[in-house]
Amino acid sequence: MENEDQPRLRSVVSYVKRGGRMTVGQQRAWEEHWPRLGRTVAQLPEGPVDFTEWFGREAPVMLEIGSGMGETTSQLAAAAPELNYVAVEVYDPGLGQLMLRAEKLGVTNLRLMHGDAVVLLTDHVEPGTLSGVRLFFPDPWPKKRHHKRRIVQPEFVALIASRLAPGGTFHMATDWEHYAEQMLEVCSAEPALRNRYADEPGGWAPRPEWRPVTKFEQRADREGRVSHDLIFEKR
């Protein structure tokens, strides 16, 4: 159903469109696996996606926004076979690489969405149905004049909260201090969410051992930036 908030939500997309040529392996992955594992957000029929039908089973649905080249995503899906794991990404080679990594790890509980997560959440995910949403190292837009392009804004967080089931989690990570503070402020102001680690120093979540160290986190460490995790849950 359309509402007055949607135009503002859709003005902040969940990605920056980047080009890139696929390798032979990535192209093969698209040809062999995409018909079964992938769907394009812009081509979805109206209404919510039937995840139970797509996965062939009923299980908690975890949505990861921005899976990049898939190294972390493939490992997380492999480590949690009890989840129906959905990754949404706009970068074609990244999705191809994710399918290759999933194939190598023997992952069977992963499905891929190509397109904008905001549109997916707004138009194709029922309220109160996701067990969790993960947003790891989104584009930081470090220049102050570009901060309005960051995806973690009040309208986006309200959308995430509306799609989470009670007790569901919104887990973020970033290596940019100012962005981490913005995430903390915006999510703390969302009445449907509570900071699971509000009593910890700064309100930051301890870094989970199960989250693989990404290339962004490795680079941040070399450059002297501290990565922060934040975990909010649906009230």
Side-chain angles (χ1 to χ4, degrees):
M1 180 179 297
E2 294 291 323
N3 62 59
E4 62 183 7
D5 289 331
Q6 285 190 11
R8 286 194 295 165
L9 280 170
R10 291 184 175 181
S11 68
V12 180
V13 297
S14 66
Y15 63 91
V16 178
K17 181 66 174 175
R18 294 184 173 92
R21 183 174 298 176
M22 284 191 282
T23 66
V24 172
Q26 291 164 358
Q27 184 64 47
R28 177 187 64 79
W30 271 87
E31 293 170 357
E32 292 185 7
H33 301 305
W34 184 257
R36 180 174 60 89
L37 298 181
R39 295 182 180 177
T40 301
V41 174
Q43 297 175 0
L44 291 172
E46 289 188 11
V49 174
D50 186 342
F51 291 110
T52 298
E53 185 276 332
W54 193 13
F55 281 86
R57 66 172 189 171
E58 188 169 349
V61 178
M62 174 67 67
L63 177 67
E64 182 176 337
I65 298 174
S67 52
M69 296 304 288
E71 184 172 9
T72 295
T73 306
S74 58
Q75 293 179 58
L76 291 174
E82 73 280 4
L83 296 176
N84 285 347
Y85 208 102
V86 181
V88 57
E89 172 62 52
V90 72
Y91 187 51
D92 296 19
L95 288 168
Q97 192 65 35
L98 174 53
M99 285 185 279
L100 287 175
R101 295 183 193 277
E103 178 184 47
K104 185 175 181 179
L105 292 174
V107 175
T108 60
N109 62 321
L110 177 66
R111 300 293 184 271
L112 314 179
M113 286 284 187
H114 181 235
D116 183 8
V118 172
V119 176
L120 175 64
L121 287 162
T122 302
D123 296 340
H124 303 293
V125 176
E126 287 189 287
T129 58
L130 297 178
S131 69
V133 176
R134 290 171 175 168
L135 179 69
F136 296 153
F137 301 94
D139 195 321
W141 293 105
K143 295 181 179 179
K144 188 173 182 178
R145 68 177 183 273
H146 292 154
H147 285 183
K148 63 181 180 292
R149 300 184 186 180
R150 290 173 170 173
I151 188 172
V152 180
Q153 306 285 350
E155 296 87 354
F156 175 73
V157 172
L159 175 62
I160 294 287
S162 73
R163 270 43 182 177
L164 287 173
T169 57
F170 181 29
H171 184 177
M172 296 154 282
T174 182
D175 56 305
W176 289 86
E177 184 77 23
H178 184 272
Y179 199 4
E181 292 170 352
Q182 178 181 326
M183 290 174 172
L184 180 62
E185 179 181 355
V186 170
C187 291
S188 296
E190 170 51 52
L193 298 177
R194 74 172 188 89
N195 187 350
R196 179 176 284 182
Y197 294 94
D199 295 334
E200 294 292 325
W204 310 120
R207 190 198 184 287
E209 293 183 1
W210 51 259
R211 181 170 66 74
V213 178
T214 69
K215 64 178 181 180
F216 299 103
E217 200 167 2
Q218 291 172 344
R219 185 174 65 189
D221 186 61
R222 291 195 301 269
E223 295 175 358
R225 294 195 306 276
V226 177
S227 295
H228 290 294
D229 283 75
L230 286 161
I231 301 178
F232 281 76
E233 64 180 42
K234 180 75 172 285
R235 294 182 186 274

